[in-house]
């Protein structure tokens, strides 16, 4: 684990925030997405469709919602849940069904796995948090087998007619919910600003195409504030 690197710069800030919010992460997610987060995680686990008996990686697993759903849905598959926050992993390991997942402490920018090891990769809300997006995507391309699927759940900068309303909602409502539900306005102000500043699905798709991914598609969710994006590694 490249903890020294992860603990510097943006990596250090992000690590600190997730260590701090781990205890109320699931509750806040439920409130902020009006209960939709679990449904999106189920869709991510379904879309990745790993081969029977294969290996699946859930990156930035956090409290393990996608990893646990994937293990339930694909019982013949070995699911590995990776995160660099010890506190988030601790919560994941305490959940019902956690014994079906291998939990591993690692940085998404430097994955401790062989080339072409995994048949599928899932991730929820990782990319917006990383310092070097290209490097993190390259690592995923490296550890994925040709023909393997990558499925990403991310927040999305609002656009179109709802943009002003959603921007206002995110700037005012998200930190306020952080204050009320978690007594932590500052961590949720980070969430709002990192979402507004993040790339569009078109831009992520462009980066994936440049790395050799194909069959790329996406579906926006929740008034365009979230997106599920999928891609297949070319041969
Ligand atoms: C918003 S949470 C998402 C958790 C889960 N995927 C979900 O959908 O509920 C983002 C997670 O990414 C992890 N993370 C951020 N940067 C990371 C990195 N460079 N390497 C590994 N994990 C990282 C954080 O620790 C946190 O648990």
């Amino acid at each position: 684990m490249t903890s020294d690197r992860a603990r510097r710069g943006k990596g250090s800030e992000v690590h600190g925030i997730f260590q701090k919010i781990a205890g109320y992460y699931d509750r806040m997610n439920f409130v902020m997405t009006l209960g939709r987060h679990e449904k999106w995680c189920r869709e991510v686990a379904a879309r990745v469709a790993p081969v029977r008996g294969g290996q699946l990686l859930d990156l930035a697993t956090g409290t393990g919602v996608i990893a646990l759903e994937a293990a339930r849905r694909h019982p013949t598959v070995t699911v590995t849940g990776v995160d660099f926050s010890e506190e988030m992993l601790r919560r994941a390991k305490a959940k019902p069904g956690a014994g079906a997942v291998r939990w591993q402490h690692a940085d998404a920018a430097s994955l401790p796995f062989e080339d072409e090891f995994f048949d599928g990769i899932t991730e929820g809300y990782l990319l917006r948090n990383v310092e070097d997006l290209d490097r993190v995507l390259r690592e995923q391309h490296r550890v994925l087998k040709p023909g393997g699927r990558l499925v990403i759940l991310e927040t999305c900068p609002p656009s179109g007619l709802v943009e002003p309303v959603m921007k206002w909602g995110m700037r005012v409502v998200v930190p306020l919910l952080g204050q009320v539900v978690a007594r932590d306005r500052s961590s949720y102000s980070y969430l709002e600003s990192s979402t507004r500043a993040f790339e569009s699905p078109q831009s992520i798709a462009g980066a994936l195409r440049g790395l050799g991914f194909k069959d790329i598609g996406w579906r926006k969710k929740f008034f365009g504030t979230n997106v599920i994006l999928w891609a297949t590694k070319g041969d």
Side-chain angles (χ1 to χ4, degrees):
M1 157 76 184
T2 56
S3 50
D4 288 348
R5 195 206 61 77
R7 304 287 149 75
R8 287 196 302 267
K10 184 175 178 181
S12 162
E13 186 196 354
V14 169
H15 179 264
I17 287 172
F18 285 106
Q19 288 286 94
K20 190 167 143 204
I21 70 173
Y24 43 78
Y25 175 77
D26 285 343
R27 196 164 63 232
M28 264 302 283
N29 247 358
F30 184 85
V31 173
M32 283 191 314
T33 66
L34 302 180
R36 286 173 171 81
H37 175 248
E38 284 212 13
K39 188 167 161 239
W40 299 334
C41 290
R42 285 200 292 277
E43 181 175 336
V44 169
R47 280 189 181 278
V48 72
V51 292
R52 278 183 70 78
Q55 297 282 344
L56 177 68
L57 173 63
D58 181 42
L59 267 177
T61 195
T63 57
V65 183
I66 296 174
L68 291 166
E69 173 59 22
R72 198 192 58 76
R73 178 178 281 268
H74 311 291
T76 66
V77 167
T78 303
V79 179
T80 304
V82 160
D83 204 284
F84 76 171
S85 161
E86 300 81 353
E87 273 303 307
M88 294 294 261
L89 282 175
R90 200 167 65 76
R91 307 269 161 183
K93 286 178 189 167
K95 286 187 169 175
V101 176
R102 293 183 181 174
W103 304 103
Q104 193 157 344
H105 184 238
D107 189 336
S110 194
L111 292 172
F113 305 110
E114 290 167 22
D115 295 359
E116 302 184 358
F117 184 74
F118 291 101
D119 299 278
I121 300 179
T122 54
E123 67 200 44
Y125 307 126
L126 168 68
L127 301 180
R128 155 174 67 88
N129 289 304
V130 301
E131 190 144 28
D132 186 342
L133 180 63
D134 286 340
R135 177 174 170 166
V136 165
L137 291 178
R138 268 201 316 277
E139 273 295 84
Q140 295 178 34
H141 185 266
R142 180 183 70 74
V143 301
L144 190 59
K145 285 181 188 160
R149 226 168 186 215
L150 167 64
V151 186
I152 298 170
L153 169 64
E154 249 316 331
T155 50
C156 196
S159 60
L161 285 177
V162 293
E163 184 179 343
V165 180
M166 293 317 288
K167 275 190 170 164
W168 174 84
M170 289 176 72
R171 201 169 48 243
V172 177
V173 179
V174 171
L176 195 65
L177 284 175
Q179 173 70 40
V180 173
V181 179
R183 307 236 173 284
D184 180 3
R185 174 176 278 266
S186 64
S187 298
Y188 285 90
S189 296
Y190 162 78
L191 174 70
E192 181 272 323
S193 57
S194 64
T195 297
R196 262 191 304 127
F198 192 56
E199 317 271 346
S200 64
Q202 286 84 347
S203 152
I204 302 172
L208 291 173
R209 211 168 288 117
L211 284 170
F213 282 95
K214 58 178 189 175
D215 302 333
I216 301 171
W218 64 85
R219 255 173 91 176
K220 288 190 180 179
K221 308 279 178 187
F222 210 35
F223 308 106
T225 54
N226 283 253
V227 64
I228 294 179
L229 194 143
W230 53 89
T232 302
K233 179 171 171 176
D235 296 326

